[in-house]
Amino acid sequence: MDTTTREDDAREDMREVRISSGITPDDVETILNMAASSGLFSADAMLSAEDMAWDCAYGNGEEAQTFLLAKVCDAQGERIIGFLCYGPIMYWPGEFELYGITVDPEFRRLGIGSALVAEMTRRAIGELGRSIFLETGEGRAFENARLFYEANGFSVQRRFCKQFIPMDGGLVYRLNIDEEDADNNYQ
């Protein structure tokens, strides 16, 4: 998936959004600021995001996690307006984890987050993926995140796997991406 666009009544122009993978050291600060400003990343999640971002920025392309970036070109040049980080779950062939996703508030509700999820799903299928897991909060602050995940096909898991036993106040979601495996889910 290369582009996603949508017109917003509040904007006079239509912008092209490009989704790409990989990050550079120059992208790390933007990604971390975006994650922190969302208010949904715990201190531990921020530390993990920082570790993964620096590993990918200075890695050799063989890192376990992948960053997908949504970028737009405007008068300020090309800038990151959203990101998603995911990776395979060690020792669980075909299973992936969505570690984090956020979109700049100016660009929310335009389909950019859904485009990032769609690209992640396309790539996971290309790696013979069967499902994608994530963990999120259960509190009111996470209500929009949960609605977003559900709108993108994720469902709450009632029976948990060893890897995904939620922390207090957390929920585990799963997206089946392999129709043949859909009957073998963990609900």
Side-chain angles (χ1 to χ4, degrees):
M1 170 178 278
D2 290 335
T3 61
T4 294
T5 58
R6 181 172 165 187
E7 191 170 354
D8 184 9
D9 294 336
R11 292 182 187 71
E12 295 178 13
D13 62 331
M14 190 177 215
R15 300 178 189 174
E16 181 178 301
V17 176
R18 187 173 58 87
I19 296 176
S20 61
S21 65
I23 61 173
T24 68
D26 292 338
D27 298 331
V28 174
E29 184 176 349
T30 301
I31 288 168
L32 295 176
N33 287 338
M34 195 175 286
S37 69
S38 76
L40 300 178
F41 286 69
S42 68
D44 287 342
M46 284 301 300
L47 288 173
S48 293
E50 184 174 11
D51 286 345
M52 287 187 274
W54 286 117
D55 285 349
C56 286
Y58 285 107
N60 62 6
E62 296 181 17
E63 296 73 37
Q65 63 278 346
T66 299
F67 277 84
L68 299 176
L69 301 180
K71 295 180 179 180
V72 67
C73 280
D74 59 16
Q76 301 158 337
E78 187 175 67
R79 65 182 171 122
I80 298 169
I81 59 167
F83 78 88
L84 179 149
C85 182
Y86 77 100
I89 300 173
M90 192 179 295
Y91 307 116
W92 287 18
E95 308 294 337
F96 290 82
E97 181 175 0
L98 169 55
Y99 301 116
I101 180 174
T102 193
V103 173
D104 183 305
E106 178 186 347
F107 293 90
R108 289 188 185 149
R109 301 199 186 288
L110 298 175
I112 294 165
S114 294
L116 286 164
V117 169
E119 179 64 9
M120 170 190 63
T121 302
R122 185 187 71 75
R123 289 170 181 246
I125 288 170
E127 295 181 41
L128 304 177
R130 294 189 310 251
S131 57
I132 301 168
F133 289 87
L134 66 88
E135 185 175 346
T136 191
E138 193 172 22
R140 184 178 174 125
F142 295 91
E143 183 175 359
N144 286 336
R146 292 189 309 272
L147 292 171
F148 169 79
Y149 296 132
E150 291 167 10
N152 281 279
F154 287 86
S155 59
V156 176
Q157 298 302 285
R158 301 292 178 211
R159 190 172 136 223
F160 301 111
C161 308
K162 189 176 186 180
Q163 174 78 14
F164 289 99
I165 299 173
M167 302 293 281
D168 290 336
L171 293 171
V172 173
Y173 279 81
R174 180 180 188 206
L175 173 65
N176 288 321
I177 57 176
D178 179 357
E179 291 302 320
E180 292 178 22
D181 194 45
D183 293 334
N184 204 8
N185 65 21
Y186 299 100
Q187 294 184 8

